[in-house]
Amino acid sequence: MFERYYGFSAPPFQLSPDARFFFPSAVHQKAKSYLTYGLHQGEGFIIITGEVGAGKTILVDNLLSTIDQNTFVTAKIVTTQLAGDDLLHLVAGGFGIANEGLAKGSLLQRISDFALAQHRNNKRVLLIVDEAQNLSFEALEELRMLSNIVFERTMALQSFLLGQPQFRAILGSARLEQLRQRVTAAYHLGPLSEPECRSYVEHRLRRADWTGDPHFDDDCFPLIYQHTGGVPRQINTLCSRLLLFGFLEKLHALTASSVEKVAGDLREEIAVITTPSASPGASADPVAESDNIAQISQRLGLLEESVHKQGLVIKRALEIAAHYFREERA
């Protein structure tokens, strides 16, 4: 919607990872160095952790975009709470290995045969596991067992494990000592610094062929950092909504007040959907019930206000779209 208005060639702050928009911050460059080292070693586990939206996935996607695709066979899986056998089926499916109806032993043999065959063809097998904090102990053990596949004294299958901070605590378990001994490199992604936050915003705008429209006042950037904590995905969410706000209000210069307005709207919207409901079996005390009613009324008021604002946004968007169509027909 706002891409055409501002002349962008692509959405500059889309939430889905896109290696073209990779920003080489200090923490991301260091993490990439660890990944490159681990990849060069060609064995063991490489572990990257970070908060939700820290940029783990785009980091790995950027690394994969730089390697010779003719010498690597890669599979990427996103995990939920899986049992060990289920994970093996997911791994096999990721590599395109037929696995329907196979028992665990046969499945392991097929994955092993596949990895060894690739190495005979001078190709390396790389498995990328996202959301690794969801893996059970049994599933992590199966991954460790896959690292036992060896071709001429070289590990035939290498794994990247990407996870949220709690994955570090999981790896600290005494039960995973053997897996820890096979970790080649590990790094924790922190947030961007305040100067990097501005560079990140401008970098993504330029990647979308930004020509300075809209202009961002200097006062915008400290506030963007303040409201997002330097976490890339949160920056993307705020800035995307900021551009939408500018489009709807026909702005060609965004100010500190614009950032505050949009950040406030986002807080209100999140509050509506995250306000906890009363717990079952709550006290029947009249004062407590009165408080509950007041809370419900307040939530309903916020919800109605949010719906009203969304209606105004949609109405404004339709008016602008109709204006564009009339101009094109003219």
Side-chain angles (χ1 to χ4, degrees):
M1 187 178 291
F2 59 74
E3 292 86 1
R4 179 177 175 183
Y5 184 71
Y6 290 124
F8 294 129
S9 60
F13 298 105
Q14 62 184 7
L15 295 182
S16 55
D18 187 338
R20 296 175 302 167
F21 287 85
F22 175 73
F23 175 69
S25 73
V27 291
H28 287 82
Q29 281 292 77
K30 189 169 183 180
K32 188 175 179 180
S33 297
Y34 276 74
L35 289 173
T36 303
Y37 166 77
L39 200 60
H40 178 73
Q41 292 296 104
E43 59 183 2
F45 294 92
I46 302 171
I47 296 172
I48 298 293
T49 57
E51 297 290 347
V52 175
K56 301 179 292 293
T57 303
I58 196 172
L59 171 70
V60 173
D61 288 349
N62 176 262
L63 176 68
L64 295 180
S65 71
T66 65
I67 64 176
D68 184 358
Q69 300 297 322
N70 293 320
T71 59
F72 283 86
V73 177
T74 62
K76 183 176 180 180
I77 61 175
V78 180
T79 63
T80 56
Q81 296 288 346
L82 295 174
D85 292 5
D86 292 332
L87 177 68
L88 291 177
H89 281 280
L90 202 58
V91 170
F95 286 116
I97 302 170
N99 61 89
E100 187 174 353
L102 290 182
K104 178 180 174 180
S106 300
L107 187 56
L108 279 169
Q109 188 61 53
R110 284 213 180 165
I111 295 173
S112 176
D113 291 345
F114 172 82
L116 294 174
Q118 297 304 318
H119 269 260
R120 293 189 190 98
N121 290 326
N122 297 314
K123 292 187 176 183
R124 289 178 52 189
V125 180
L126 182 62
L127 174 66
I128 301 160
V129 182
D130 207 351
E131 302 295 347
Q133 75 280 352
N134 292 328
L135 293 173
S136 63
F137 168 76
E138 291 74 17
L140 287 167
E141 269 295 289
E142 294 299 347
L143 285 178
R144 184 186 68 81
M145 293 302 294
L146 291 179
S147 70
N148 287 334
I149 304 172
V150 176
F151 178 77
E152 295 180 352
R153 293 179 293 183
T154 301
M155 285 187 183
L157 189 151
Q158 187 176 24
S159 297
F160 284 9
L161 305 183
L162 315 180
Q164 294 175 25
Q166 58 266 38
F167 186 48
R168 292 182 294 172
I170 294 170
L171 289 172
S173 168
R175 301 171 71 191
L176 295 173
E177 174 64 26
Q178 293 186 69
L179 188 149
R180 285 199 303 275
Q181 290 180 5
R182 299 191 182 196
V183 174
T184 306
Y187 189 76
H188 180 73
L189 272 179
L192 306 179
S193 66
E194 185 172 337
E196 286 178 326
C197 179
R198 175 171 186 158
S199 298
Y200 174 84
V201 171
E202 294 176 338
H203 166 79
R204 292 194 70 110
L205 288 167
R206 285 193 295 268
R207 294 297 292 172
D209 296 321
W210 176 55
T211 59
D213 183 20
H215 169 75
F216 283 71
D217 284 0
D218 290 341
D219 291 345
C220 289
F221 298 102
L223 289 173
I224 292 172
Y225 178 76
Q226 176 186 322
H227 287 296
T228 64
V231 177
R233 187 178 298 165
Q234 293 188 32
I235 297 172
N236 290 351
T237 299
L238 178 57
C239 288
S240 182
R241 286 290 296 270
L242 187 59
L243 291 174
L244 177 61
F245 173 77
F247 162 67
L248 294 173
E249 297 297 323
K250 295 187 176 180
L251 301 177
H252 292 281
L254 299 172
T255 64
S257 62
S258 304
V259 177
E260 289 288 14
K261 174 69 171 62
V262 171
D265 288 346
L266 284 171
R267 278 196 304 272
E268 288 181 7
E269 292 167 16
I270 295 300
V272 169
I273 63 174
T274 58
T275 303
S277 57
S279 58
S283 169
D285 179 64
V287 175
E289 288 184 3
S290 177
D291 289 343
N292 287 337
I293 292 171
Q295 291 173 7
I296 293 170
S297 297
Q298 183 181 19
R299 266 182 270 158
L300 285 173
L302 286 171
L303 181 59
E304 288 172 356
E305 183 180 353
S306 177
V307 170
H308 176 66
K309 287 180 179 179
Q310 294 294 334
L312 291 177
V313 168
I314 293 170
K315 180 180 178 182
R316 181 66 176 147
L318 290 172
E319 288 174 352
I320 293 173
H323 177 70
Y324 274 126
F325 289 133
R326 284 197 298 269
E327 284 187 343
E328 285 185 350
R329 290 194 185 100

